Amino acid sequence: MTASEKLAELLRLNANTAVVVHDPANMFYLTEGYAGEGMVYITASRTVIVTDFRYTEAAEKDAPSAEVVMTDREHPGTKRIAELCAQDGITEILFESNYLSVDSYEKLREALGDEMSFAPLEQAPQKLRQIKTPAEIVTMRKAAAITSEAFDAVLPKIRPGMTEKELRLELESIMYRLGMDAPAFDTIIASGVNGSLPHAVPGDRKLQKGDMITMDFGARVGGYCSDMTRTVALGEPSPEMKKVYNTVYRAQAMCEAALAAGKNCFDIDRLARDYIDSQGYAGRFGHGLGHCVGIDIHEDPRLSPGCHDILKAGMVITVEPGIYLPGVGGVRIENTCLVKEGGSEPLTTARKELIIL
Ligand code: GLY
Ligand code: MN
Ligand code: MN
């Protein structure tokens, strides 16, 4: 069954309803490979990519099971959608209320006329995307293997005097050589005191002896992301930072061991939070424990205090506790894991024990 057929089944689409998709991640998923701009129109019996000249050939190649309709100056995307609706006798549109801008929504309404009714799609494609197929898991394994290998390969290159930006360049070059299509997100390199910034932007700070260095990086391969973080020490760290490392290490290992189909996301997050608080770091782990990964780097469900979803086999989720001490530094350890019945499997395989360079 194709992804758009799965969507039609999930929504029990009747003959008078069409789905119009604008979110690029949903377009990629539902067409099984189209990564250009435009819109995707889906009914119970057809999937149509509506795009301009720049992407028409790519759409035909990358999504052979979809039809492709080209837009031009006289026939913009909204007009093409109106034509498709007229051909198919569509009276209702399901649209991405969480994604579409107010302007785009109004343009679509204007093109389709007052008779057309509109209803939110309620993130139905994202719900399908939560459970990865065996083929998606194969691709995500490749993406995760690139990050694990790149971590091992970058370690001998880390030296005092090198800047955070230079380290990012080394790491990303290695990932490209290993087959990454693009970074999955902006690489984070946080050295020394910068380690207290969970999403630090790599800067001109030079690495120094005694620094802890947090590297949070991911590879995009075949449209899918990996996500991993390791913190290493450049020379002997302070006893305080060693304790921080051991606390994060234990929290990470404990939560990864607890991960399994049937568990509540809230409970897994709670395990890490209670343990970190009990070690004297209350309030210093201020983000969620993890998030699902796939075509987007951050997908639902989340391991967080606000998510009570139940984990299911086939979800791919990160486990990434951290401790952040302003003016001192920080540590985060993150694996991307596949949820299974009775347990989980880390797709990130790099070692997690403290490495002192
Ligand atoms: N790299 C962003 C994150 O770990 O969520
Ligand atoms: Mn990350
Ligand atoms: Mn992450």
Coordinates of all heavy atoms in Angstrom, one line a residue, residues 116-158:
M116 N -17.0 25.5 -1.7 CA -16.1 24.5 -1.2 C -16.1 24.6 0.3 O -15.9 25.7 0.9 CB -14.7 24.8 -1.8 CG -13.7 23.7 -1.4 SD -14.1 22.1 -2.2 CE -13.7 22.5 -3.9
S117 N -16.2 23.4 1.0 CA -16.0 23.5 2.5 C -14.6 23.0 2.8 O -13.9 22.3 2.1 CB -17.1 22.6 3.2 OG -16.9 21.3 2.9
F118 N -14.1 23.6 3.9 CA -12.7 23.3 4.4 C -12.7 22.7 5.8 O -13.5 23.2 6.6 CB -11.9 24.6 4.4 CG -11.5 25.1 3.0 CD1 -12.4 25.7 2.2 CD2 -10.2 24.9 2.6 CE1 -12.0 26.1 0.9 CE2 -9.7 25.3 1.4 CZ -10.6 25.9 0.5
A119 N -11.8 21.7 6.0 CA -11.7 21.2 7.3 C -10.2 20.9 7.6 O -9.5 20.6 6.6 CB -12.5 19.9 7.5
P120 N -9.8 20.9 8.8 CA -8.3 20.7 9.1 C -8.0 19.2 8.9 O -8.8 18.3 9.3 CB -8.1 21.1 10.6 CG -9.5 21.3 11.1 CD -10.5 21.4 10.0
L121 N -6.8 18.9 8.5 CA -6.3 17.6 8.2 C -5.9 16.9 9.6 O -5.8 15.7 9.6 CB -5.1 17.7 7.3 CG -4.5 16.4 6.8 CD1 -5.5 15.4 6.1 CD2 -3.4 16.7 5.8
E122 N -5.7 17.7 10.6 CA -5.4 17.3 11.9 C -4.2 16.4 12.0 O -4.2 15.4 12.7 CB -6.6 16.6 12.6 CG -7.7 17.6 12.9 CD -9.0 17.0 13.4 OE1 -9.2 15.8 13.3 OE2 -9.8 17.8 14.0
Q123 N -3.2 16.7 11.2 CA -1.9 16.0 11.2 C -2.0 14.5 11.0 O -1.2 13.8 11.5 CB -1.2 16.4 12.5 CG -1.1 17.9 12.7 CD 0.1 18.3 13.7 OE1 1.1 17.7 13.6 NE2 -0.2 19.3 14.4
A124 N -2.9 14.1 10.2 CA -3.0 12.7 9.8 C -1.8 12.1 9.2 O -1.3 11.0 9.6 CB -4.3 12.4 9.0
P125 N -1.1 12.9 8.3 CA 0.1 12.3 7.7 C 1.2 12.1 8.8 O 1.9 11.1 8.8 CB 0.6 13.3 6.6 CG -0.7 14.1 6.3 CD -1.5 14.1 7.6
Q126 N 1.3 13.1 9.7 CA 2.3 13.0 10.8 C 2.0 11.7 11.6 O 3.0 11.1 12.1 CB 2.3 14.2 11.7 CG 3.0 15.4 11.0 CD 2.0 16.3 10.2 OE1 1.0 15.8 9.7 NE2 2.4 17.6 10.1
K127 N 0.7 11.4 11.8 CA 0.4 10.2 12.6 C 0.9 9.0 11.9 O 1.5 8.1 12.5 CB -1.1 10.1 12.9 CG -1.5 11.0 14.0 CD -2.9 11.2 14.2 CE -3.2 12.5 15.0 NZ -4.4 13.3 14.6
L128 N 0.8 8.9 10.6 CA 1.3 7.7 9.8 C 2.8 7.7 9.9 O 3.4 6.6 10.0 CB 0.9 7.8 8.4 CG -0.6 7.6 8.1 CD1 -0.9 7.9 6.6 CD2 -1.0 6.2 8.4
R129 N 3.4 8.9 9.9 CA 4.9 9.0 9.8 C 5.5 8.5 11.2 O 6.7 8.3 11.2 CB 5.3 10.4 9.5 CG 5.2 10.8 8.0 CD 5.3 12.3 7.8 NE 6.4 12.9 8.4 CZ 6.6 14.2 8.6 NH1 5.6 15.0 8.2 NH2 7.6 14.6 9.2
Q130 N 4.7 8.5 12.2 CA 5.3 8.1 13.5 C 5.9 6.7 13.5 O 6.8 6.4 14.2 CB 4.2 8.2 14.6 CG 3.9 9.6 15.0 CD 2.9 9.7 16.2 OE1 2.6 8.7 16.8 NE2 2.5 10.9 16.5
I131 N 5.2 5.8 12.8 CA 5.7 4.4 12.7 C 6.5 4.2 11.4 O 5.9 4.3 10.4 CB 4.5 3.4 12.8 CG1 3.5 3.7 13.9 CG2 5.0 1.9 12.9 CD1 4.1 3.6 15.3
K132 N 7.7 3.9 11.6 CA 8.6 3.8 10.4 C 8.4 2.4 9.8 O 8.3 1.4 10.5 CB 10.0 4.0 10.8 CG 10.5 5.5 10.7 CD 9.8 6.4 11.6 CE 10.2 7.8 11.5 NZ 9.4 8.7 12.4
T133 N 8.4 2.3 8.4 CA 8.4 1.1 7.7 C 9.8 0.5 7.7 O 10.8 1.1 8.0 CB 8.0 1.3 6.2 OG1 9.0 2.1 5.6 CG2 6.6 2.0 6.1
P134 N 9.9 -0.9 7.4 CA 11.2 -1.5 7.4 C 12.1 -0.7 6.4 O 13.3 -0.5 6.7 CB 10.9 -2.9 6.9 CG 9.5 -3.2 7.4 CD 8.8 -1.9 7.3
A135 N 11.6 -0.2 5.3 CA 12.5 0.5 4.3 C 13.0 1.8 4.9 O 14.1 2.2 4.8 CB 11.7 0.7 3.0
E136 N 12.1 2.5 5.7 CA 12.5 3.8 6.3 C 13.6 3.5 7.4 O 14.5 4.2 7.5 CB 11.3 4.4 6.9 CG 10.3 5.0 5.9 CD 9.1 5.7 6.6 OE1 8.4 5.0 7.4 OE2 8.8 6.8 6.3
I137 N 13.4 2.4 8.1 CA 14.4 2.0 9.1 C 15.8 1.7 8.5 O 16.8 2.1 9.1 CB 13.8 0.9 10.0 CG1 12.6 1.4 10.8 CG2 14.9 0.3 11.0 CD1 11.8 0.3 11.5
V138 N 15.8 1.1 7.4 CA 17.1 0.8 6.7 C 17.8 2.1 6.4 O 19.0 2.3 6.7 CB 16.8 0.0 5.4 CG1 18.1 0.0 4.5 CG2 16.4 -1.4 5.7
T139 N 17.0 3.1 5.9 CA 17.6 4.4 5.6 C 18.1 5.1 6.8 O 19.2 5.7 6.9 CB 16.6 5.3 4.8 OG1 16.1 4.5 3.7 CG2 17.2 6.6 4.3
M140 N 17.3 5.0 7.9 CA 17.6 5.7 9.1 C 18.9 5.1 9.8 O 19.6 5.8 10.4 CB 16.4 5.8 10.1 CG 15.3 6.7 9.5 SD 14.0 7.1 10.7 CE 14.8 8.3 11.7
R141 N 19.0 3.8 9.6 CA 20.2 3.1 10.1 C 21.5 3.7 9.4 O 22.5 3.9 10.1 CB 20.1 1.6 9.8 CG 19.7 0.8 10.9 CD 19.8 -0.7 10.5 NE 18.7 -1.4 11.1 CZ 18.6 -1.7 12.4 NH1 19.6 -1.4 13.2 NH2 17.6 -2.4 12.8
K142 N 21.4 3.9 8.1 CA 22.5 4.4 7.4 C 22.8 5.8 7.9 O 24.0 6.2 8.1 CB 22.1 4.6 5.9 CG 22.3 3.3 5.1 CD 22.1 3.5 3.6 CE 21.6 2.3 2.9 NZ 20.8 2.5 1.8
A143 N 21.8 6.7 8.1 CA 22.0 8.0 8.6 C 22.7 8.0 10.0 O 23.6 8.7 10.2 CB 20.7 8.8 8.6
A144 N 22.2 7.1 10.8 CA 22.8 7.0 12.2 C 24.2 6.4 12.1 O 25.1 6.9 12.9 CB 21.9 6.1 13.0
A145 N 24.5 5.5 11.2 CA 25.8 4.9 11.1 C 26.8 6.0 10.7 O 28.0 6.0 11.2 CB 25.8 3.8 10.1
I146 N 26.4 6.9 9.8 CA 27.3 8.0 9.4 C 27.7 8.9 10.6 O 28.9 9.2 10.8 CB 26.7 8.8 8.3 CG1 26.7 8.0 7.0 CG2 27.4 10.1 8.1 CD1 25.9 8.6 5.8
T147 N 26.8 9.2 11.4 CA 27.1 10.0 12.6 C 28.0 9.3 13.6 O 29.0 9.9 14.0 CB 25.8 10.6 13.3 OG1 24.9 9.5 13.5 CG2 25.1 11.6 12.6
S148 N 27.7 8.0 13.8 CA 28.6 7.3 14.8 C 30.0 7.2 14.2 O 31.0 7.4 14.9 CB 28.0 5.9 15.0 OG 26.8 5.9 15.6
E149 N 30.2 6.9 12.9 CA 31.5 6.7 12.3 C 32.2 8.1 12.3 O 33.4 8.2 12.5 CB 31.4 6.3 10.9 CG 31.4 4.8 10.7 CD 31.5 4.3 9.3 OE1 32.4 4.7 8.5 OE2 30.5 3.7 8.8
A150 N 31.4 9.1 12.0 CA 32.0 10.5 11.9 C 32.6 10.9 13.3 O 33.6 11.5 13.4 CB 31.0 11.5 11.4
F151 N 31.9 10.5 14.4 CA 32.3 10.8 15.7 C 33.7 10.2 16.0 O 34.6 10.9 16.4 CB 31.3 10.4 16.7 CG 31.7 10.5 18.2 CD1 31.9 11.8 18.7 CD2 32.0 9.4 18.9 CE1 32.3 11.9 20.1 CE2 32.4 9.5 20.3 CZ 32.6 10.8 20.8
D152 N 33.8 8.9 15.7 CA 35.1 8.2 15.9 C 36.2 8.9 15.1 O 37.3 9.1 15.5 CB 35.0 6.8 15.5 CG 34.3 5.9 16.6 OD1 34.2 6.4 17.7 OD2 33.8 4.9 16.3
A153 N 35.8 9.3 13.8 CA 36.9 9.8 12.9 C 37.3 11.2 13.3 O 38.4 11.6 13.0 CB 36.3 9.8 11.5
V154 N 36.4 12.0 13.9 CA 36.8 13.4 14.3 C 37.6 13.5 15.5 O 38.4 14.5 15.7 CB 35.5 14.3 14.3 CG1 34.9 14.3 15.7 CG2 35.8 15.7 13.9
L155 N 37.5 12.5 16.4 CA 38.2 12.6 17.7 C 39.7 12.9 17.5 O 40.2 13.8 18.2 CB 38.0 11.3 18.5 CG 36.6 11.1 19.0 CD1 36.5 9.8 19.8 CD2 36.1 12.2 19.9
P156 N 40.5 12.2 16.6 CA 41.9 12.5 16.5 C 42.2 13.9 16.0 O 43.4 14.4 16.1 CB 42.4 11.5 15.5 CG 41.3 10.5 15.3 CD 40.1 11.1 15.7
K157 N 41.2 14.6 15.5 CA 41.4 15.9 14.9 C 41.2 17.0 15.9 O 41.5 18.2 15.6 CB 40.5 16.1 13.7 CG 40.8 15.1 12.6 CD 40.0 15.4 11.3 CE 40.2 14.4 10.3 NZ 41.6 14.5 9.7
I158 N 40.6 16.7 17.1 CA 40.3 17.7 18.1 C 41.6 18.1 18.8 O 42.2 17.3 19.5 CB 39.2 17.2 19.0 CG1 37.9 16.9 18.3 CG2 38.9 18.2 20.1 CD1 36.8 16.3 19.1

